[in-house]
Amino acid sequence: MTTTKYSISAANRITGKSRTTITKHLRSGRLSYEEDGQGNKLIDASELIRVYGDECDFSREEGSAPDSLIATPTGQGVQSEVNTLQSQLAKEVAERERERAHFRQQVEQLQEALKLAQEGHNKAMLLLENRTGGRGEWEATLKALEERIANQELTAKELKAAHAAKRNGGDLKDKYWWQVVFGA
């Protein structure tokens, strides 16, 4: 089984302890470490778990949870928790995508409804403008109709008077017989 070693900065992220505190624990011997060829201090994952226990969160060290750590008794729950969180995150992402698609569809429907409403508004405005712009035409038409009715009334009165005169025979004396017969 391979062991995983972490630098002081990585141990800081995993445990949440400051680098100064970790360095003090290294100097005092509370934490054991090894040095690499360049003199950097490396702390074993099992050593971090031994000293800090539940305070260790290896998920803080992005993608660095090794298989050997997962196989340890205290690390067995870490991998299952990571898998659970990943599946929950994937479900949430899928749900948000569905919501976004639904909202986009609603926005498109509302934009279309707004467009139709604006077209209706524009048509109504044109009708109103035509009615107010053609008001003089309506008035002129009404006046013309009134004049025609008045003329028809005068013509009817004249015809009545002419018929009355013909009945009385006043016009027939001045006309020749052929004018009376042919209506001239």
Side-chain angles (χ1 to χ4, degrees):
M1 189 162 125
T2 61
T3 59
T4 303
K5 311 282 184 187
Y6 293 99
S7 67
I8 295 174
S9 296
N12 160 297
R13 288 188 292 273
I14 293 169
T15 62
K17 302 286 183 185
S18 69
R19 288 187 308 200
T20 308
T21 302
I22 293 172
T23 305
K24 284 180 186 177
H25 289 165
L26 290 173
R27 284 189 194 141
S28 68
R30 185 172 175 195
L31 262 176
S32 62
Y33 66 94
E34 295 177 10
E35 287 188 9
D36 64 358
Q38 298 171 347
N40 297 322
K41 296 177 182 175
L42 299 174
I43 306 164
D44 191 45
S46 61
E47 192 63 18
L48 289 172
I49 292 171
R50 181 186 67 81
V51 174
Y52 300 112
D54 292 335
E55 294 177 17
C56 294
D57 185 4
F58 290 94
S59 64
R60 292 182 198 157
E61 186 65 23
E62 297 177 30
S64 65
D67 292 337
S68 62
L69 176 63
I70 294 169
T72 61
T74 57
Q76 287 176 349
V78 173
Q79 184 61 36
S80 64
E81 186 177 339
V82 168
N83 290 340
T84 304
L85 290 174
Q86 285 177 340
S87 66
Q88 287 175 347
L89 183 60
K91 287 178 185 177
E92 286 186 33
V93 167
E95 179 64 24
R96 296 303 167 258
E97 287 298 321
R98 281 192 294 272
E99 287 176 356
R100 286 179 65 203
H102 178 70
F103 288 139
R104 282 186 186 137
Q105 184 181 13
Q106 282 184 336
V107 166
E108 289 173 3
Q109 289 174 349
L110 290 172
Q111 285 175 339
E112 195 169 315
L114 177 63
K115 185 178 178 182
L116 290 173
Q118 286 174 339
E119 288 175 5
H121 174 74
N122 290 342
K123 287 180 183 178
M125 289 301 294
L126 287 174
L127 286 173
L128 289 173
E129 288 172 2
N130 285 340
R131 297 245 173 156
T132 57
R135 187 173 186 187
E137 293 175 16
W138 285 99
E139 289 175 358
T141 306
L142 286 176
K143 284 183 182 179
L145 285 173
E146 288 174 356
E147 288 175 11
R148 284 177 68 188
I149 291 171
N151 287 339
Q152 287 177 353
E153 289 174 358
L154 286 176
T155 307
K157 286 181 184 178
E158 289 174 359
L159 284 174
K160 283 182 185 179
H163 283 290
K166 283 184 183 181
R167 281 186 210 146
N168 294 335
D171 281 345
L172 294 177
K173 293 178 187 177
D174 296 338
K175 294 185 179 182
Y176 296 104
W177 65 270
W178 57 271
Q179 288 176 336
V180 173
V181 174
F182 293 113

